[in-house]
Structure formats: structure tokens, C-alpha cells
Amino acid sequence: MTAFIQLDRLSKHYRDNVVLENLSCKVAEGEFVTLVGASGCGKSTFLRLLLGTESVSSGQLLMAGKPIEQEPSPDRGIVFQRYSVFPHLNVRENVVLGIEFVESKWLGRLFGKGRKEALEKADELLSAVGLEQARYKYPHELSGGMQQRLALAQALIKKPKVLLLDEPFGALDPGIRKEMHDLVMGLWRQYGLTIFMVTHDLKEGFHLGTRLWVFDKVRHDPHAPNRFGSTITYDLSLQSKDKALTIAAIDEINAQLQAVE
Ligand SMILES: Nc1ncnc2c1ncn2[C@@H]1O[C@H](COP(=O)(O)OP(=O)(O)O)[C@@H](O)[C@H]1O
Ligand SMILES: [Mg+2]
């Protein structure tokens, strides 16, 4: 496999709190990796390493053979569980803002041709996420599902290669969540994305991913809970969707997740 993202004995700690310990893995371009694990085991930290807002403490995290830059780049977009939009800007303006920040760092706003192009790009993304009818609405007029659609449009406006999703649908009703699953699967295919998605819901992880990672500690020190970090304890390919294997694995992983909670 040609590695697009490569983890090489990656570790991350905050002072004496070891969060991630000795992760080694290769991910090909176009994979959809879902991540599960107990609360506090380092899933969001791992996404922030990929985003470039945090740096590894030791080992390496490579993208296309190069260490991930220590700043957010248009290569990578992120969606959080709850999205903070600018309340005084409408949907379309909120999406355009993503371009304005990147392409017009000093001015803060685009004018003329640049602005026209930005609006066209925004409209393209808004139709891709099903918000074309809501272009001129303000954030407070949007449902939770629509807000997450907006967050996806904004994360994708710079045409990233990697999309990072941190429990993006955790706050939504089950019916809406199903719609969002279809949307994400569609965007993944349409834009040829590599996705890393954290979820609380193991079934969601199995349903959406081509690959599922479980984060957990393999070593525990009862007197010093922060002494050891999590690693990838399961790395399951979901490509074949072998039902019997999948069901057995769900039971096993569920037991493991409950044991640590
Ligand atoms: N910026 C930070 N500074 C210090 N500790 C942090 C920081 N971010 C996360 N942590 C610690 O890292 C651990 C993992 O947190 P997190 O990645 O948010 O877990 P998860 O997303 O799996 O619930 C926690 O112990 C948390 O307190
Ligand atoms: Mg988290």
C-alpha cells in the first residue's frame, strides 16, 4: 500500500499526561477511517495532530511523505460536533468567509472578480450539501442538521484532501443522522476524500468506514492513570463487510469499550 498518511511510532503527551503512545499505521488515499474509544482516550487529540494545530511529542506523522505542517492548511478540513458559525452572517457568507481568510489574509474581504468566484464556489458547495435553498438564512434559523451541513460546506470549500470529523452527528436525532450518513458517503465519493471520523456509535463506525480503529490503553498503572497512553488496539478492514466477522468483532469491541468505562 502506498501510504498517504503514515504514523510512525507516534506519541503525544501533555506534560506528564501520556495521551497517545507508539502508534504505527499506514492509510491509503481515499480510505474512510472511523475511530472509536472511551471518552478521554485521545481521539480528538489525534484529529488535531492531523489538522496541524497540535504537534507530535515523538515519532512521526506524515502526509504524502512529509511531516504535517504545524498550521492548518487548505489540505485538511474539520467538522466538530457543534459548530460555531458567525451569527451575523448568512449561510452563504459563512461559507465564503473560509475562502476570504485563506486568499485575502490581509484584506479580510475579497472584492470584484475574487469575490464573484468565491460566491460561485460557495454556491457549488451549498448545493453539494443540500443547502441551496437556505443560502440567505441566518444560523439561528437553521436546524441542527442544517448547521452540520453548513459546517461540511465550510470544511470543504478549500477542496481539502483530508476531511476530519469529530463526532459530527452525535447531537442529532437518529432520523437526521441517517440523512447525514448518506450525505457524507456522497461527499466522500464525489470529492475523493480521505476521511477520519470519530464516533461514539460503534454501529455508525462499522456502517460508514472502510476501516475501523479502536483506541485504548494496553498498559495501565493504577497509581498513575496518565502514565500510559492509548494506542490502536483494533485495526479492522471493513471492505469485505464479512457479516459474521463484523458481528463477532462488534461484540468483542463493545465488551472492551465497556470494560474501560
Ligand atoms: N490542550 C490540552 N492540554 C492538556 N491536556 C489536554 C489537551 N487536550 C487534551 N488533553 C488531554 O488529553 C486527553 C485526551 O483528550 P481528548 O483527545 O479530548 O480525548 P477524546 O477525544 O478521546 O475524548 C485527556 O486526558 C485530556 O485532558
Ligand atoms: Mg473528543
Side-chain angles (χ1 to χ4, degrees):
M1 183 214 289
T2 19
F4 176 51
I5 305 283
Q6 184 166 357
L7 291 58
D8 182 16
R9 282 166 298 151
L10 177 159
S11 294
K12 173 69 182 173
H13 55 82
Y14 294 104
R15 293 173 176 271
D16 59 355
N17 182 7
V18 183
V19 179
L20 299 170
E21 194 175 346
N22 208 20
L23 279 66
S24 292
C25 228
K26 287 178 181 174
V27 175
E29 190 156 17
E31 282 201 72
F32 191 146
V33 182
T34 49
L35 289 78
V36 297
S39 174
C41 74
K43 305 177 297 294
S44 296
T45 300
F46 178 69
L47 291 193
R48 287 199 301 272
L49 292 172
L50 281 171
L51 187 63
T53 53
E54 288 285 350
S55 54
V56 300
S57 305
S58 66
Q60 279 193 305
L61 178 57
L62 307 174
M63 181 170 155
K66 284 183 254 149
I68 285 193
E69 298 159 44
Q70 278 322 293
E71 58 180 54
S73 117
D75 269 351
R76 303 175 301 271
I78 192 160
V79 174
F80 299 100
Q81 181 169 13
R82 281 181 204 284
Y83 183 63
S84 48
V85 287
F86 292 90
H88 60 290
L89 296 179
N90 70 27
V91 163
R92 197 182 190 211
E93 294 286 356
N94 264 293
V95 177
V96 167
L97 205 65
I99 304 174
E100 288 180 328
F101 276 141
V102 171
E103 292 180 8
S104 181
K105 269 187 191 145
W106 309 111
L107 267 177
R109 286 197 77 104
L110 295 167
F111 298 100
K113 188 161 164 276
R115 180 159 175 80
K116 189 165 168 280
E117 282 171 10
L119 286 169
E120 280 167 11
K121 270 197 221 171
D123 286 346
E124 181 205 319
L125 258 301
L126 286 172
S127 352
V129 302
L131 280 184
E132 59 276 79
Q133 305 298 325
R135 272 189 290 177
Y136 303 110
K137 289 200 184 233
Y138 284 82
H140 74 268
E141 300 176 273
L142 304 180
S143 65
M146 287 166 96
Q147 290 198 17
Q148 290 310 80
R149 285 173 189 267
L150 173 54
L152 281 165
Q154 195 159 46
L156 292 174
I157 190 72
K158 288 163 260 161
K159 300 280 156 79
K161 295 197 174 81
V162 180
L163 179 63
L164 307 169
L165 303 170
D166 200 348
E167 301 187 29
F169 313 133
L172 304 177
D173 295 336
I176 307 289
R177 218 177 294 161
K178 169 80 179 65
E179 283 173 20
M180 300 303 284
H181 290 167
D182 295 342
L183 175 64
V184 164
M185 294 301 272
L187 294 170
W188 173 54
R189 294 200 183 96
Q190 183 181 351
Y191 293 103
L193 300 164
T194 305
I195 297 185
F196 293 85
M197 171 170 165
V198 173
T199 174
H200 245 82
D201 180 348
L202 193 54
K203 287 218 180 84
E204 181 175 79
F206 269 99
H207 173 62
L208 291 179
T210 58
R211 187 166 174 182
L212 177 105
W213 288 353
V214 179
F215 278 31
D216 195 12
K217 292 187 188 198
V218 286
R219 300 191 285 172
H220 293 270
D221 180 343
H223 304 292
N226 293 338
R227 183 163 163 217
F228 300 116
S230 301
T231 192
I232 300 172
T233 53
Y234 282 86
D235 180 355
L236 289 180
S237 169
L238 304 173
Q239 300 277 21
S240 65
K241 301 274 178 192
D242 180 331
K243 281 259 168 59
L245 178 74
T246 302
I247 291 163
I250 285 192
D251 288 346
E252 200 174 327
I253 293 167
N254 257 330
Q256 185 185 330
L257 291 177
Q258 269 152 27
V260 290
E261 262 167 15

Short mmCIF file of all heavy atoms in Angstrom, two decimals, residues 14 17 19 38-45 48 54, ligand 1:
data_model
loop_
_atom_site.label_atom_id
_atom_site.label_comp_id
_atom_site.label_asym_id
_atom_site.label_seq_id
_atom_site.Cartn_x
_atom_site.Cartn_y
_atom_site.Cartn_z
N TYR A 14 0.82 15.60 27.06
CA TYR A 14 0.74 16.96 27.59
C TYR A 14 1.39 16.90 28.97
O TYR A 14 0.86 16.24 29.86
CB TYR A 14 -0.72 17.40 27.73
CG TYR A 14 -1.45 17.54 26.40
CD1 TYR A 14 -2.36 16.58 25.99
CD2 TYR A 14 -1.23 18.64 25.58
CE1 TYR A 14 -3.04 16.72 24.79
CE2 TYR A 14 -1.90 18.78 24.38
CZ TYR A 14 -2.80 17.82 23.99
OH TYR A 14 -3.47 17.95 22.80
N ASN A 17 1.01 13.85 31.20
CA ASN A 17 -0.16 13.07 30.77
C ASN A 17 0.12 12.45 29.40
O ASN A 17 0.07 13.15 28.39
CB ASN A 17 -1.38 13.99 30.75
CG ASN A 17 -2.65 13.26 30.35
OD1 ASN A 17 -2.67 12.04 30.21
ND2 ASN A 17 -3.73 14.01 30.16
N VAL A 19 -0.97 10.74 26.34
CA VAL A 19 -2.27 10.56 25.72
C VAL A 19 -2.22 9.47 24.66
O VAL A 19 -3.01 8.53 24.67
CB VAL A 19 -2.78 11.90 25.12
CG1 VAL A 19 -4.14 11.70 24.44
CG2 VAL A 19 -2.91 12.95 26.21
N ALA A 38 -13.00 4.99 24.40
CA ALA A 38 -13.61 5.62 25.58
C ALA A 38 -13.33 7.12 25.58
O ALA A 38 -12.36 7.58 24.98
CB ALA A 38 -13.04 4.98 26.84
N SER A 39 -14.19 7.84 26.28
CA SER A 39 -14.01 9.27 26.40
C SER A 39 -12.65 9.58 27.05
O SER A 39 -12.25 8.91 28.00
CB SER A 39 -15.17 9.80 27.26
OG SER A 39 -14.97 11.14 27.53
N GLY A 40 -11.93 10.54 26.50
CA GLY A 40 -10.64 10.93 27.06
C GLY A 40 -9.45 10.11 26.58
O GLY A 40 -8.33 10.30 27.05
N CYS A 41 -9.70 9.19 25.63
CA CYS A 41 -8.59 8.31 25.21
C CYS A 41 -7.72 8.93 24.12
O CYS A 41 -6.76 8.30 23.67
CB CYS A 41 -9.12 6.95 24.79
SG CYS A 41 -9.93 6.99 23.19
N GLY A 42 -8.05 10.14 23.67
CA GLY A 42 -7.13 10.81 22.74
C GLY A 42 -7.59 10.90 21.30
O GLY A 42 -6.81 11.26 20.42
N LYS A 43 -8.88 10.65 21.04
CA LYS A 43 -9.37 10.68 19.65
C LYS A 43 -9.31 12.10 19.07
O LYS A 43 -8.83 12.30 17.96
CB LYS A 43 -10.81 10.13 19.58
CG LYS A 43 -10.96 8.74 20.18
CD LYS A 43 -12.39 8.25 20.16
CE LYS A 43 -13.37 9.08 20.99
NZ LYS A 43 -13.12 9.03 22.45
N SER A 44 -9.81 13.06 19.84
CA SER A 44 -9.79 14.45 19.34
C SER A 44 -8.36 14.95 19.22
O SER A 44 -8.02 15.69 18.30
CB SER A 44 -10.58 15.37 20.27
OG SER A 44 -11.94 15.01 20.28
N THR A 45 -7.52 14.54 20.16
CA THR A 45 -6.10 14.92 20.09
C THR A 45 -5.50 14.41 18.79
O THR A 45 -4.77 15.13 18.10
CB THR A 45 -5.34 14.34 21.30
OG1 THR A 45 -5.92 14.87 22.49
CG2 THR A 45 -3.86 14.68 21.25
N ARG A 48 -6.49 16.56 15.98
CA ARG A 48 -5.78 17.85 15.99
C ARG A 48 -4.34 17.72 15.49
O ARG A 48 -3.78 18.65 14.93
CB ARG A 48 -5.81 18.47 17.39
CG ARG A 48 -7.20 19.03 17.76
CD ARG A 48 -7.11 20.02 18.90
NE ARG A 48 -6.55 19.41 20.09
CZ ARG A 48 -7.27 18.78 21.01
NH1 ARG A 48 -8.57 18.70 20.91
NH2 ARG A 48 -6.67 18.23 22.06
N GLU A 54 -1.86 20.76 16.68
CA GLU A 54 -1.04 20.18 17.75
C GLU A 54 0.12 19.46 17.07
O GLU A 54 -0.02 19.02 15.93
CB GLU A 54 -1.85 19.13 18.54
CG GLU A 54 -2.91 19.70 19.44
CD GLU A 54 -2.36 20.33 20.70
OE1 GLU A 54 -1.15 20.17 20.99
OE2 GLU A 54 -3.13 21.00 21.38
N1 LIG B 1 -4.72 21.16 25.08
C1 LIG B 1 -4.59 20.23 26.02
N2 LIG B 1 -3.78 20.42 27.08
C2 LIG B 1 -3.63 19.48 28.04
N3 LIG B 1 -4.26 18.29 28.02
C3 LIG B 1 -5.08 18.04 27.01
C4 LIG B 1 -5.30 18.99 25.96
N4 LIG B 1 -6.19 18.45 25.07
C5 LIG B 1 -6.50 17.23 25.54
N5 LIG B 1 -5.85 16.98 26.71
C6 LIG B 1 -5.93 15.73 27.49
O1 LIG B 1 -5.71 14.66 26.57
C7 LIG B 1 -6.53 13.55 26.90
C8 LIG B 1 -7.31 13.12 25.67
O2 LIG B 1 -8.29 14.09 25.35
P1 LIG B 1 -9.15 14.02 24.01
O3 LIG B 1 -8.24 13.88 22.85
O4 LIG B 1 -10.06 15.17 24.02
O5 LIG B 1 -9.95 12.65 24.20
P2 LIG B 1 -11.24 12.09 23.41
O6 LIG B 1 -11.48 12.96 22.23
O7 LIG B 1 -10.90 10.69 23.05
O8 LIG B 1 -12.39 12.13 24.39
C9 LIG B 1 -7.39 13.97 28.08
O9 LIG B 1 -6.77 13.47 29.25
C10 LIG B 1 -7.32 15.48 28.05
O10 LIG B 1 -7.43 16.01 29.33
#
